[in-house]
Amino acid sequence: MQKLLDYPELAHLAEWSNKPAGSPTDAFLDAFVPIAGDDREYVIIDLRTGDLHGSVSVYQREGDASGPTWVSISAMLSDVADSLESGTVFDGVWVPTFADSILGWDAP
């Protein structure tokens, strides 16, 4: 049986897992809970310990979670609500659209 450290690309996995929540990482960790995503990226909740426990980040499939976009789920949902109420851009990219009572998100 091979050991985890026999895979050089995973050598830093334990180190990244032990860093506080919100710390950048180049791997998808067990402490990440995906709540949305597509083929390129996931929106994740970071459940590592620390002041930013429960923060929300975007994890790129190429292997990058550069840090939190929101400090909490409630902060993210507040931004979603503001965008829906005002029709303004959410997360610098997404514009809410409504057609036949169906919500959609467009990236202009």
Side-chain angles (χ1 to χ4, degrees), residues 11-27 29-32 46-55 65-66:
H12 296 288
L13 193 59
E15 177 186 339
W16 291 323
S17 294
N18 290 323
K19 289 191 175 194
S23 299
T25 177
D26 287 335
L29 305 175
D30 289 343
F32 291 169
D46 190 343
L47 297 180
R48 291 178 288 175
T49 59
D51 291 341
L52 292 173
H53 175 84
S55 60
S66 57

